[in-house]
């Protein structure tokens, strides 16, 4: 598989994932991914994307609950 950015060779490895969202910062230090040997671009497979999305959805729900608790206090 080749990188869509630089056409470098992809290797199965790990990559970090981070996102700033709705008042919180989520960081995973090592997520299985295809990583370009040349430019370092990472591509996550469906299983990892689904797990990341589930974590974000859970955190969104917790953030809403925390915000609602602060508003009622």
């Amino acid at each position: 598989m080749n990188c869509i950015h630089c056409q470098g060779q992809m290797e199965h490895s790990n990559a970090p994932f981070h996102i700033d969202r709705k008042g919180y910062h989520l960081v995973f230090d090592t997520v299985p991914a295809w990583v370009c040997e040349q430019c370092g671009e990472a591509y996550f497979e469906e299983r990892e994307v689904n797990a990341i999305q589930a974590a974000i959805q859970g955190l969104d729900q917790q953030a809403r609950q925390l915000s609602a608790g602060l508003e009622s206090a």
Side-chain angles (χ1 to χ4, degrees):
M1 177 169 31
N2 290 335
C3 176
I4 63 170
H5 294 285
C6 73
Q7 300 306 310
Q9 185 65 33
M10 303 297 287
E11 69 174 2
H12 202 256
S13 185
N14 291 303
F17 175 84
H18 59 88
I19 186 170
D20 290 314
R21 182 176 168 88
K22 299 182 181 181
Y24 63 84
H25 184 78
L26 175 63
V27 177
F28 292 110
D29 291 330
T30 56
V31 179
W34 289 96
V35 180
C36 179
E37 294 176 346
Q38 186 168 308
C39 73
E41 184 70 23
Y43 301 103
F44 301 106
E45 292 189 7
E46 184 177 3
R47 182 180 66 188
E48 286 74 28
V49 170
N50 290 341
I52 290 168
Q53 288 177 335
I56 290 169
Q57 289 172 354
L59 287 170
D60 282 349
Q61 182 179 9
Q62 293 297 317
R64 282 191 301 274
Q65 289 175 356
L66 284 171
S67 293
L70 290 175
E71 291 172 2
S72 65

